[in-house]
Amino acid sequence: MASVVKKTLKNLLHSDEVENNPLTMTDEQILDQIYSTHVHNSDTKFDAASLFTLAHNTLARSTHIVDSVVQGTKVSLEHTDDKSLIPNFSSPLCTLKQISSELSCKPPSEETAHKTTLAILNKLSHYDWEAKAVLTLSAFALEFGEFWLLEQHLPTDPLAKSVAFLKRVPILTKPAAIQKHRQAITELNSLVKITVQVLEFILELDNLNERYDTKVVPALELAVEQIPVDVYWTIITIAAIVTQLDCLVTESEHKQELSHYGQKINIILSRLRKHITLARQQIDTAKYIQELKKLLQTPTEITVVLSFLIFPKGVPQLLYDGATKTTVDINVVLKKKNVYLFISTLDVTDEEITAVRTVYESIKTNEQYKIVWIPIVEGWNEQLHKKFEILKSKIPWYVVQNIENIAGFKFINEEWDFKKKATFVVFSPQGKVQHPNAFHLIKAYGIKAFPFTLEDEKRIQKERNWLVSVVGPIDRNIGTWIPGHVFEVPVVDQGKHIFYYGGHDKEWIQQFTKYATALSNDATIKEANISIELFYVNKEDKNLISRFWGGIESLFVTKIHKTTDVVTQEVQKLLSYKNETGWALLSKGPSVVLSGHGSTILKTVAEFEKWKDVAIKKGFEFAFTEYHTSVARVTHRCSHLEVPIVAGKLPETIKCPDCPSTMEIFISYKCCHNKTNANSKH
């Protein structure tokens, strides 16, 4: 029975040792233990920066003395840099002595070092995490500095000699001891230096965290979260150093193993250095963006704005002229010009390039307007460089050649909400943004919207004949159905009635085509001189589908932020039918009469006989609209609106085009392998 109890007790003791061994504990386990020692929201404040300065200076000179003693050279402190001392600083001496008492004369083991660290943290429970580390380092500096100060004055000062013997300084510093313990002393001294560096970085992080919001400097968030654990490892490393020093001066047979602490503290130092480097970069970027915003709000020369936006300091401000195949100076070719910035990734499509080319061909003889392409790419490689050169060779306008380091990369992504979709930013000669993204305006209306400012967008949106800009360029036959709009000929009449229709259900397409054809060929309709044409938006024709729905989407983006009007609702309603089984839109020449879902529109056309008389008496579009409204009133369906991610913020809420309700928002992810492969062939 006694042996069982003894074994159980031994297992419990072993379990306690494992639990308290920091080398086998995770960060989460360490946090669980050290958080119990910490009093949050404490008002205990003191001048940690000044205390660290004193500790840093003390340890910098002390470690320099150690290096000289180990190397057997004369000590020279003339070139040892001191941090600036803070006048009128009052040292927390009693607290330092209390910490020293916890550190000193402990047996060497990881478990003991862990318990010592927890004891110190308990004594310093009311201090901030950074202050706990500074106080512990300072307590160590007080003892370590005194030890090596006595070593320096021992040969010449009787008082120093007496105190040195009391502290057993000569035991470690005489030549034979130095020779015997050279490696241990060197390792200890190096670990002191690294620990000071770690604490210096921790304090810098704390300082940055007080000055900057983590939203502006996100690198601070993760680094600051890790500080309690970093402080723990700083203190336990100091505890291990003190124990090793005690072992050396007492000539103990046991030694404290420091290599594990050295490895851990070096990892922490490396991580902190990366966090601070990244934080400094993010701070520089934030300052740059703030300065750029200010520049954009202040009338100035366009070349000043573009140079600051595009080129980092010290980089030649040169552009590639696609028309002459030469390199030109931005300050020469763009001075006092209206500038269009065409911003895209290297996955820019032929269709997008064609849209910009249309603008270029219209303005190339006008010296007041210039286009500049800024390619945005993350992680350049040889393949992407080749792709860039191929694209560059196709473009007749200016191209930014500083492709790997666009100064305003983050600004373009965040402030102009660039989501890898082509953007067309319009600038005045004074460097003011006239339109943050006119690309949807260009795709929807072409050169008709020139010069593509916000004022031009407002002007063109007042026009009711929005359908022409989408369907006009798709098929030349449509031009004969809508006179005076596509080919700029005088308007003789308002044009024909046109059914544009499509969908994903072949059976629905066949049914609608049958009934709509019968309607258009009806003898009564022909006698009334009502001319009806059908235009099938065939889903098998990828080019047609892309151009049609791309145009509708562009119109939607240009209108959705504006006050909701009839045109906006019409565009939104049509876009909501994009992925339905069937849909149709009826126009009278360039004017939209209505658009409808497949279920209601097919029933309306199929039941033509019921409203034919009204069509003859009151007009075809009146009769069609009246009957379709009565059908839709008793047919319930949910509207679905899918909008691609675009360069520019979409509204948080969108009203349903069919009822007063606000539409629910869903997120979907779509991969078009064929499209991706096609784009990669540029």
Side-chain angles (χ1 to χ4, degrees):
M1 183 69 179
S3 62
V4 174
V5 173
K6 185 175 181 182
K7 185 176 181 181
T8 303
L9 182 60
K10 183 178 180 181
N11 289 337
L12 288 171
L13 290 171
H14 176 71
S15 175
D16 184 61
E17 288 177 359
V18 171
E19 184 182 349
N20 291 318
N21 185 346
L23 302 179
T24 61
M25 294 167 66
T26 64
D27 285 354
E28 288 73 20
Q29 290 172 321
I30 290 172
L31 280 172
D32 285 343
Q33 294 200 34
I34 65 176
Y35 269 137
S36 65
T37 70
H38 185 63
V39 177
H40 297 273
N41 301 321
S42 169
D43 293 328
T44 304
K45 300 291 182 183
F46 80 107
D47 191 352
S50 296
L51 183 59
F52 176 73
T53 297
L54 287 167
H56 179 279
N57 292 343
T58 302
L59 292 173
R61 290 179 173 271
S62 299
T63 52
H64 183 72
I65 291 172
V66 175
D67 286 336
S68 299
V69 170
V70 170
Q71 294 165 12
T73 59
K74 185 178 180 181
V75 177
S76 174
L77 299 176
E78 293 179 5
H79 302 294
T80 304
D81 292 332
D82 276 355
K83 288 181 173 289
S84 300
L85 291 174
I86 308 299
N88 303 321
F89 174 73
S90 178
S91 171
L93 185 59
C94 290
T95 304
L96 299 183
K97 287 187 175 182
Q98 289 174 17
I99 297 171
S100 293
S101 68
E102 291 290 348
L103 289 169
S104 302
C105 301
K106 297 293 177 70
S109 76
E110 281 70 33
E111 293 77 11
T112 301
H114 174 70
K115 291 177 180 178
T116 299
T117 302
L118 292 181
I120 292 171
L121 290 174
N122 274 306
K123 283 187 179 294
L124 304 177
S125 60
H126 289 274
Y127 290 91
D128 292 335
W129 288 104
E130 298 78 12
K132 299 176 199 284
V134 171
L135 285 163
T136 306
L137 183 75
S138 301
F140 168 68
L142 187 63
E143 299 298 324
F144 195 69
E146 183 183 28
F147 186 95
W148 293 104
L149 178 65
L150 291 170
E151 191 278 335
Q152 288 291 287
H153 292 281
L154 186 152
T156 58
D157 189 329
L159 178 58
K161 185 174 182 178
S162 298
V163 177
F165 270 92
L166 287 173
K167 286 187 169 285
R168 300 176 68 95
V169 173
I171 297 296
L172 183 60
T173 59
K174 58 188 177 183
I178 291 291
Q179 183 65 31
K180 179 181 178 181
H181 301 299
R182 184 184 302 276
Q183 184 176 348
I185 297 171
T186 301
E187 182 184 27
L188 184 151
N189 205 45
S190 297
L191 194 51
V192 171
K193 295 175 184 177
I194 297 169
T195 305
V196 173
Q197 280 186 281
V198 166
L199 187 47
E200 191 167 13
F201 282 161
I202 288 174
L203 290 174
E204 182 173 354
L205 277 174
D206 182 56
N207 181 45
L208 293 176
N209 190 50
E210 288 183 359
R211 292 168 55 196
Y212 299 99
D213 192 321
T214 53
K215 292 180 180 179
V216 177
V217 191
L220 290 174
E221 187 168 8
L222 182 60
V224 170
E225 285 178 1
Q226 194 70 22
I227 281 180
V229 175
D230 293 343
V231 166
Y232 167 85
W233 281 106
T234 301
I235 294 175
I236 198 173
T237 300
I238 294 170
I241 290 171
V242 173
T243 297
Q244 177 71 320
L245 187 60
D246 287 344
C247 289
L248 292 174
V249 298
T250 58
E251 299 181 295
S252 171
E253 294 181 1
H254 303 287
K255 297 291 185 291
Q256 174 68 59
E257 177 61 55
L258 293 182
S259 61
H260 301 305
Y261 298 99
Q263 291 172 7
K264 184 66 180 181
I265 212 77
N266 268 296
I267 291 171
I268 292 173
L269 180 64
S270 177
R271 176 170 48 76
L272 287 171
R273 184 179 283 115
K274 288 178 181 178
H275 279 306
I276 287 176
T277 299
L278 182 57
R280 288 170 180 166
Q281 291 172 351
Q282 291 172 349
I283 290 168
D284 288 342
T285 300
K287 289 179 178 178
Y288 164 84
I289 289 176
Q290 187 176 13
E291 190 173 346
L292 180 56
K293 285 181 179 179
K294 184 177 179 181
L295 190 62
L296 288 170
Q297 293 171 357
T298 307
T300 184
E301 168 58 41
I302 179 64
T303 54
V304 174
V305 174
L306 294 184
S307 295
F308 194 75
L309 174 69
I310 298 170
F311 302 101
K313 291 181 180 179
V315 174
Q317 299 178 357
L318 302 175
L319 300 173
Y320 173 78
D321 187 344
T324 62
K325 311 299 181 186
T326 59
T327 301
V328 295
D329 189 329
I330 189 174
N331 296 294
V332 175
V333 297
L334 298 184
K335 190 173 184 179
K336 299 186 185 304
K337 308 294 186 186
N338 294 277
V339 176
Y340 298 138
L341 289 187
F342 175 46
I343 307 170
S344 77
T345 66
L346 296 187
D347 289 324
V348 58
T349 65
D350 286 335
E351 188 178 340
E352 289 169 332
I353 291 177
T354 299
V356 180
R357 190 183 296 275
T358 301
V359 176
Y360 173 78
E361 293 297 331
S362 300
I363 67 171
K364 66 180 181 180
T365 57
N366 188 336
E367 282 299 310
Q368 293 305 308
Y369 294 89
K370 300 294 180 182
I371 301 175
V372 178
W373 179 40
I374 302 180
I376 301 293
V377 176
E378 294 184 68
W380 283 92
N381 54 41
E382 186 177 350
Q383 184 179 357
L384 291 174
H385 275 286
K386 289 179 180 178
K387 189 173 183 178
F388 167 71
E389 292 298 330
I390 293 171
L391 280 169
K392 189 175 78 169
S393 66
K394 297 180 179 180
I395 292 175
W397 46 85
Y398 297 123
V399 179
V400 174
Q401 297 207 98
N402 174 43
I403 51 178
E404 295 190 19
N405 194 16
I406 303 298
F409 177 84
K410 186 177 177 66
F411 177 87
I412 291 170
N413 275 277
E414 296 183 0
E415 300 301 323
W416 285 345
D417 213 39
F418 180 74
K419 294 186 176 74
K420 298 186 178 181
K421 291 289 185 179
T423 303
F424 201 83
V425 185
V426 180
F427 273 99
S428 72
Q430 294 75 38
K432 184 175 181 179
V433 175
Q434 300 288 290
H435 199 304
N437 183 15
F439 204 46
H440 299 288
L441 194 62
I442 292 168
K443 289 196 291 185
Y445 299 102
I447 200 65
K448 186 179 179 181
F450 178 81
F452 315 115
T453 66
L454 288 170
E455 290 301 317
D456 292 298
E457 183 172 326
K458 291 178 183 177
R459 166 182 59 81
I460 205 165
Q461 284 177 346
K462 292 178 181 178
E463 299 181 11
R464 286 288 309 238
N465 302 334
W466 56 270
L467 185 63
V468 176
S469 62
V470 176
V471 301
I474 289 178
D475 191 299
R476 293 186 63 85
N477 290 328
I478 297 176
T480 63
W481 304 339
I482 310 176
H485 287 82
V486 179
F487 301 109
E488 302 299 331
V489 296
V491 179
V492 177
D493 57 46
Q494 293 183 340
K496 300 181 177 184
H497 292 89
I498 308 170
F499 278 113
Y500 304 90
Y501 67 102
H504 293 281
D505 188 334
K506 289 184 178 180
E507 185 177 346
W508 186 93
I509 296 295
Q510 291 171 356
Q511 289 291 310
F512 182 84
T513 303
K514 182 181 76 171
Y515 288 118
T517 301
L519 186 156
S520 64
N521 291 328
D522 183 86
T524 307
I525 289 292
K526 288 186 176 297
E527 288 175 7
N529 291 320
I530 299 174
S531 180
I532 299 174
E533 299 287 349
L534 306 182
F535 185 82
Y536 174 33
V537 183
N538 190 349
K539 70 172 185 176
E540 305 303 327
D541 187 339
K542 301 301 181 185
N543 182 52
L544 172 61
I545 284 289
S546 175
R547 294 177 68 183
F548 181 84
W549 289 115
I552 298 298
E553 288 169 354
S554 294
L555 277 168
F556 174 79
V557 173
T558 63
K559 294 176 179 297
I560 196 59
H561 287 287
K562 311 302 182 295
T563 302
T564 302
D565 54 19
V566 175
V567 174
T568 303
Q569 288 181 325
E570 287 173 350
V571 174
Q572 183 181 336
K573 184 183 290 187
L574 182 57
L575 187 56
S576 72
Y577 302 144
K578 179 180 177 180
N579 294 313
E580 295 290 350
T581 55
W583 60 270
L585 179 147
L586 173 65
S587 75
K588 178 67 163 70
S591 301
V592 173
V593 177
L594 65 79
S595 61
H597 185 266
S599 59
T600 56
I601 210 84
L602 181 60
K603 184 176 177 64
T604 302
V605 175
E607 297 178 356
F608 170 59
E609 291 296 329
K610 295 182 179 180
W611 53 273
K612 180 165 63 173
D613 291 342
V614 179
I616 303 303
K617 294 177 182 178
K618 296 185 178 182
F620 183 81
E621 53 267 49
F622 174 83
F624 187 92
T625 302
E626 183 181 54
Y627 195 83
H628 179 265
T629 301
S630 66
V631 172
R633 192 177 295 122
V634 295
T635 305
H636 174 76
R637 57 169 294 275
C638 293
S639 289
H640 300 274
L641 184 62
E642 291 191 8
V643 184
I645 296 296
V646 294
K649 294 182 175 66
L650 290 173
E652 293 182 3
T653 60
I654 298 177
K655 291 290 185 181
C656 176
D658 297 309
C659 72
S661 302
T662 298
M663 301 184 79
E664 293 183 57
I665 298 174
F666 295 87
I667 298 174
S668 63
Y669 299 88
K670 184 178 180 182
C671 180
C672 302
H673 298 289
N674 293 334
K675 186 175 181 181
T676 303
N677 292 338
N679 288 344
S680 66
K681 295 177 182 178
H682 287 301

